[in-house]
């Protein structure tokens, strides 16, 4: 099962350490990151990963906004993360890139095995930012199911150059040519001075039809 946080970085790291492909779930990592910080980040893992994020001021505001020493009280509610839209705020984009980075960074720590990230193609608004964060952390494979992953290899190549990607967003029940609008994600919004071009992770499509394959 690739449910939210079921396949987290600990499980992925354990699997990768045995020489197999360890896979983290790419779903709702922004929410997961903020909850781990509000829970006090036991062991300091999230803070260790954020300290390695290529833009320190992004890591700093995320800690300021969400980290609670010792964790919030049992009766307290977690602070909510805004929902993604076609034009998510810069802060939400930064949080989402950082979340993809943190999960893969922690999964890759302490071994030389391979780590992948799994996306549901139909949850598309956070996908480019999460994928970019995962690539910044050196993710080795991108697994994509639940929808046609045909545009993902090009997205990987574009993000590796730190160039903007445009995703034509669909709505459930719409015909395939009924684009609702374009989601544009520009890596330089999050990393104004991008590093050298990134490596290209392998794209593994999970499809139910020979045509798609």
């Amino acid at each position: 099962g690739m449910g939210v946080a079921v396949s987290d970085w600990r499980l992925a790291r354990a699997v990768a350490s045995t020489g197999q492909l360890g896979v983290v779930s790419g779903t709702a990592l922004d929410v997961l990151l903020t909850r781990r910080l509000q829970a006090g980040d036991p062991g300091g893992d999230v803070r260790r990963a954020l300290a390695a994020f290529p833009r320190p001021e992004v890591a700093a505001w995320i800690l300021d906004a969400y980290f609670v020493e010792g964790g919030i009280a049992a009766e307290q509610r977690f602070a909510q993360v805004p929902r993604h839209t076609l034009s998510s705020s810069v802060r939400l984009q930064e949080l989402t890139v950082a979340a993809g980075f943190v999960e893969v960074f922690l999964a890759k720590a302490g071994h030389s095995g391979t780590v992948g990230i799994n996306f549901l193609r139909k949850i598309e608004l956070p996908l480019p930012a999460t994928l970019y964060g995962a690539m910044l952390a050196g993710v080795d494979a991108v697994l994509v199911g639940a929808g046609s992953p045909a545009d993902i290899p090009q997205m990987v190549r574009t993000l590796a150059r730190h160039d903007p990607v445009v995703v034509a967003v669909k709505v459930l029940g719409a015909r395939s040519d009924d684009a609702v609008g374009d989601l544009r994600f520009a890596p330089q919004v999050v990393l104004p001075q991008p590093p050298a071009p990134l490596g290209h992770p392998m794209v593994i499509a999970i499809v139910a039809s020979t045509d798609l394959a």
Side-chain angles (χ1 to χ4, degrees):
M2 290 299 308
V4 176
V6 171
S7 184
D8 73 354
W9 63 266
R10 287 186 177 85
L11 178 59
R13 186 167 74 179
V15 171
S17 300
T18 70
Q20 304 300 312
L21 175 64
V23 180
V24 296
S25 169
T27 305
L29 287 180
D30 51 346
V31 175
L32 200 59
L33 173 63
T34 64
R35 291 190 169 190
R36 285 173 175 157
L37 288 172
Q38 291 171 78
D41 185 27
D45 295 303
V46 173
R47 283 167 291 170
R48 187 162 51 84
L50 281 172
F53 190 71
R55 195 162 160 229
E57 53 267 49
V58 168
W61 82 251
I62 291 172
L63 287 173
D64 283 347
Y66 293 106
F67 179 59
V68 178
E69 190 74 54
I72 60 175
E75 69 278 1
Q76 268 185 293
R77 285 172 172 264
F78 286 113
Q80 295 302 300
V81 173
R83 288 188 176 273
H84 289 267
T85 65
L86 283 177
S87 52
S88 295
S89 71
V90 169
R91 285 244 152 148
L92 181 55
Q93 292 180 56
E94 289 175 344
L95 176 66
T96 306
V97 172
F101 176 90
V102 163
E103 197 72 11
V104 172
F105 177 91
L106 290 173
K108 283 185 71 80
H111 62 85
S112 56
T114 50
V115 166
I117 189 167
N118 181 69
F119 290 108
L120 301 173
R121 181 62 188 82
K122 62 177 186 258
I123 305 180
E124 48 198 348
L125 294 178
L127 197 157
T130 311
L131 172 58
Y132 183 60
M135 289 173 62
L136 285 172
V139 76
D140 301 292
V142 179
L143 295 80
V144 191
S148 170
D151 59 340
I152 302 297
Q154 183 60 51
M155 189 185 294
V156 163
R157 288 192 291 270
T158 304
L159 291 175
R161 300 191 302 265
H162 310 285
D163 286 344
V165 293
V166 177
V167 182
V169 173
K170 313 280 194 294
V171 159
L172 209 59
R175 291 188 307 277
S176 58
D177 52 359
D178 287 348
V180 175
D182 287 340
L183 163 71
R184 182 182 159 83
F185 170 70
Q188 295 203 339
V189 167
V190 177
L191 281 192
Q193 278 91 37
L198 302 171
H200 290 192
M202 178 170 48
V203 175
I204 302 174
I206 304 163
V207 293
S209 80
T210 50
D211 288 351
L212 266 180

